[in-house]
Amino acid sequence: MAAKPLVPARLAFAADGTPYSDTFDDVYHSADGGLGQARHVFLAGSDLPRRWQGRERFVILETGFGLGLNFLATWAAWRADPQRCARLHFVSCELHPFSREDLATLHARWPELAPLAAELQARWPVLTPGLHRLHLDSGRVTLTLYLGDARDGLDRLTLRADAFYLDGFSPARNPELWSERIFHLLANLAAADATLATWSVAGHVREGLRRAGFELEKSPGFGGKRQMLRGRRTLPVPQETTPNRHALILGAGIAGCSLAERLAARGWRIDLIDAADGPGQGASGNHAGVLRPLPSLDDNRMSRLTRAGSLYGWQTIARLCRDGFAPRAEACGVLHLARDGAQEDKMHKVVDALALPPAHLRYVEATEAAAIAGCTVRHGGWFFGDSGWVQPPSLCRTLLQSAEASAPLRTHFGARVERIAHVDAQWQALAADGSLIAAAPTLILAAGTGVVRFPEASALPVVSARGQVSLLPAGADSPPRVVVCCGGYVSPEIDGLRCAGATFAVDDADSTLRPADHAENLAKLDNMLPGTGQGFDAVQLGGRVGFRPASPDRLPMVGALDAERQLFALSGFGARGLVWSMLVAEHVASELEGEPLPLERDLADAIRAGRFKPPAPDTGI
């Protein structure tokens, strides 16, 4: 079922100047001061900063993000504490998020928080439903936002919270956020000895929390409020384990390089192996690829996954650029044209149903589409204003540069792994002569179609899909000026060439360029942009052949193949390696570290590597 379109909060103020919601007819914080309330009720009420001191990680879950004031106050307290935990995770739900511009207006009231507020505003996500992960403070602080109804979001999160901030609008004005269902969802997400803090002491709130398993006490409130509520959910304390942060990654395409960068950011040592002489030489070796989502009328899992992957991918590219590791990429826009009038109608309905921000997705008629592309088109379609092209080998190189800046990274290029073995709790990568290439406790297979060579990955139904891309000579600033898609794709001019393609042939092992495939790509191009596919000699054209690992359901296959022995896989991306690799790398890294996951639970289940395993036989016992 499609998520309800987000309705952003409207900037409004009560008579005394306190930020106010006309949707819920309530103020966002106490008239006695928002920052004081955040510090007294939520930080002191959760016994912070004491409880995070000396910890590897601390996780806070909040029921209403609002202005972000609780988050900013917590972040500021964390920064000021010399004994702070190594990593702070703050997870929050918000049904009506503010725009970036309105947040800036609101945050100006607290100049002492200005540097942190400016960083939050700069990273503020596109207001689309679902989970958004923001990396702040050089990656040491992670804000994970669920934009949508908390009743759905809390049911889709995977995490263990050390502290809960209950900060919705008044129970009388917003009863859904103070329901027994919410309280039980929170209890299910509690870590051992989790605490709870809220300004509300309403009787039904206390009773609902007790029924969910929280032990409660009243304590002095903030400002004119006499009391507040503190709670604790006491559970058996599991023995804390720290992962052995050393991984062996097979494959230096976008998936493998993305995972190396995400693990290195968490302090992991990496051994990266690839048979090629450098990164991004296999399926990730094209001159240009497209990074954009694929919407649907029902906002199905493919739609949600490609949207989440595209947004996180562009966020990753922006982060790499800020850190001085700039990949070749441009968010010039992507124009996805309809095949015919009937598809135009369907595409128009999708845009209307999803109601996403127009800067992210809007419908354009043929006249506007032609103006955007700079050349003739037959039909209108979707325009993704914040999407564009990426040069995959460049992205792979910059990901590895970023990884090297964070943790030890050893690359083993030109090394073909013939087999893998698990010996004395170590995974070994062995050459054809039996010599050891590298070893580590954790092994991730990110070798594209090559994963099928290893018996340990035999449960993965990977299909090899041959794709040929044509490279067309192009003058500077020649049209199209954006990426255009319709049964294929064509890029803008990049270094005197544009990419057009791509063919898709299953179980075709021919690695040579074929004139017939060039002709097919030119025909697709001429269908998209009449006249632009003419004048080229298919026999003389340059290009590239790659083999993409595809899955039966067109979704990636990600995660544990053997969790006990620490064997994982990243495969099945098909033609969407750019779209998914960076997000699923963050997902796997989070899973290995025991952190809150960046994907909603149903999406994580949909891409689970083991989903194609046959069920265990029913013994009848």
Side-chain angles (χ1 to χ4, degrees):
M1 179 181 294
K4 293 181 180 178
L6 288 177
V7 178
R10 190 179 73 86
L11 189 62
F13 301 93
D16 63 0
T18 304
Y20 167 83
S21 168
D22 50 13
T23 301
F24 293 99
D25 189 23
D26 200 1
V27 291
Y28 277 93
H29 59 70
S30 167
D32 294 303
L35 188 54
Q37 176 179 293
R39 289 169 173 164
H40 179 90
V41 175
F42 297 106
L43 280 159
S46 302
D47 195 14
L48 297 175
R50 186 195 66 81
R51 291 182 56 236
W52 65 39
Q53 291 176 348
R55 298 274 298 269
E56 178 72 25
R57 172 179 57 250
F58 197 84
V59 179
I60 297 169
L61 176 57
E62 180 185 51
T63 53
F65 190 76
L67 319 181
L69 196 52
N70 293 336
F71 169 65
L72 290 172
T74 302
W75 183 7
W78 177 87
R79 282 181 63 104
D81 182 10
Q83 301 179 66
R84 59 183 175 259
C85 55
R87 294 182 178 275
L88 177 65
H89 280 268
F90 197 101
V91 184
S92 188
C93 300
E94 181 53 55
L95 179 59
H96 299 296
F98 279 102
S99 69
R100 177 184 285 108
E101 295 74 19
D102 285 348
L103 279 182
T105 299
L106 292 161
H107 292 164
R109 295 167 163 243
W110 298 281
E112 62 269 50
L113 298 176
L116 304 186
E119 186 172 347
L120 173 61
Q121 294 154 24
R123 310 286 190 276
W124 193 242
V126 177
L127 299 186
T128 61
L131 277 180
H132 298 262
R133 172 151 291 184
L134 312 182
H135 300 289
L136 303 162
D137 212 322
S138 300
R140 300 176 301 167
V141 174
T142 301
L143 173 61
T144 303
L145 286 170
Y146 179 82
L147 300 186
D149 195 320
R151 291 172 294 181
D152 299 325
L154 294 174
D155 195 32
R156 294 174 179 176
L157 293 173
T158 303
L159 57 82
R160 284 287 172 258
D162 299 297
F164 296 101
Y165 291 0
L166 272 63
D167 194 26
F169 290 108
S170 163
R173 306 296 173 88
N174 187 18
E176 291 83 1
L177 205 55
W178 302 88
S179 65
E180 291 212 13
R181 170 176 165 75
I182 291 287
F183 300 150
H184 281 279
L185 287 172
L186 294 174
N188 290 339
L189 295 171
D193 210 24
T195 60
L196 174 149
T198 180
W199 49 266
S200 177
V201 291
H204 80 276
V205 170
R206 299 198 311 272
E207 182 60 25
L209 287 169
R210 285 196 186 98
R211 288 177 181 272
F214 289 94
E215 301 169 5
L216 304 169
E217 64 174 0
K218 293 179 182 178
S219 62
F222 172 73
K225 198 166 191 311
R226 189 167 63 88
Q227 293 178 315
M228 59 171 278
L229 201 63
R230 299 175 66 176
R232 188 175 296 275
R233 180 163 167 76
T234 305
L235 298 168
V237 179
Q239 184 176 0
E240 284 198 8
T241 58
T242 301
N244 189 330
R245 294 187 172 97
H246 182 196
L248 181 59
I249 301 175
L250 269 58
I254 297 173
C257 292
S258 294
L259 184 58
E261 193 272 337
R262 289 290 75 213
L263 288 175
R266 291 162 167 86
W268 284 58
R269 292 184 295 126
I270 306 296
D271 278 272
L272 179 66
I273 306 176
D274 199 289
D277 60 1
Q281 301 299 303
S284 301
N286 284 341
H287 187 61
V290 189
L291 178 49
R292 60 94 184 211
L294 183 65
S296 68
L297 188 61
D298 60 351
D299 205 24
N300 57 31
R301 288 173 179 171
M302 174 71 77
S303 175
R304 291 161 58 203
L305 277 166
T306 56
R307 181 169 67 239
S310 297
L311 292 172
Y312 187 81
W314 284 110
Q315 181 193 132
T316 298
I317 290 168
R319 174 173 56 81
L320 290 169
C321 291
R322 285 194 303 271
D323 293 342
F325 309 110
R328 296 290 306 280
E330 184 184 4
C332 58
V334 175
L335 193 59
H336 185 141
L337 301 173
R339 294 186 303 270
D340 50 36
Q343 193 181 32
E344 280 185 313
D345 291 340
K346 291 179 181 178
M347 295 172 90
H348 215 310
K349 289 176 181 176
V350 168
V351 172
D352 289 345
L354 299 182
L356 299 172
H360 175 69
L361 170 65
R362 63 189 177 94
Y363 183 83
V364 293
E365 301 290 351
T367 302
E368 186 179 1
I372 291 170
C375 50
T376 302
V377 303
R378 290 191 173 93
H379 299 283
W382 292 325
F383 184 59
F384 304 92
D386 54 2
S387 294
W389 62 267
V390 178
Q391 194 171 77
S394 167
L395 178 58
C396 290
R397 289 192 297 271
T398 55
L399 285 165
L400 295 188
Q401 289 168 4
S402 178
E404 282 184 303
S406 300
L409 169 68
R410 292 195 303 173
T411 57
H412 307 264
F413 292 123
R416 177 179 168 83
V417 178
E418 192 61 32
R419 65 185 182 91
I420 56 177
H422 193 252
V423 180
D424 296 331
Q426 294 274 315
W427 282 101
Q428 299 179 344
L430 303 167
D433 62 2
S435 61
L436 178 68
I437 301 171
T442 298
L443 172 63
I444 301 101
L445 301 175
T449 58
V451 298
V452 298
R453 296 193 299 107
F454 303 108
E456 293 83 354
S458 60
L460 296 177
V462 175
V463 175
S464 176
R466 180 188 185 276
Q468 181 170 316
V469 171
S470 303
L471 292 175
L472 313 179
D477 299 322
S478 60
R481 294 185 288 265
V482 300
V483 178
V484 182
C485 304
C486 180
Y489 81 96
V490 61
S491 74
E493 176 271 333
I494 306 164
D495 299 333
L497 296 171
R498 69 176 81 258
C499 264
T503 61
F504 189 94
V506 174
D507 292 333
D508 183 341
D510 183 8
S511 61
T512 61
L513 287 172
R514 299 195 294 228
D517 285 24
H518 281 322
E520 180 182 332
N521 287 335
L522 291 172
K524 290 177 182 177
L525 176 58
D526 209 49
N527 182 61
M528 282 189 280
L529 305 171
T532 57
Q534 299 174 12
F536 296 101
D537 184 348
V539 176
Q540 299 297 322
L541 279 180
R544 193 174 184 283
V545 174
F547 298 91
R548 301 163 295 196
S551 72
D553 59 5
R554 301 194 305 149
L555 296 178
M557 297 178 281
V558 174
L561 296 176
D562 186 337
E564 185 177 348
R565 297 197 299 171
Q566 292 290 285
L567 175 64
F568 299 82
L570 300 179
S571 190
F573 295 95
R576 297 187 177 89
L578 262 177
V579 174
W580 284 326
S581 288
M582 289 170 273
L583 178 60
V584 301
E586 171 67 12
H587 180 76
V588 171
S590 299
E591 196 169 39
L592 286 169
E593 281 284 313
E595 299 172 348
L597 297 186
L599 281 174
E600 295 150 69
R601 193 171 64 247
D602 65 320
L603 296 183
D605 288 343
I607 64 172
R608 192 169 43 84
R611 69 186 183 272
F612 295 108
K613 282 185 179 179
D618 185 355
T619 62
I621 298 175

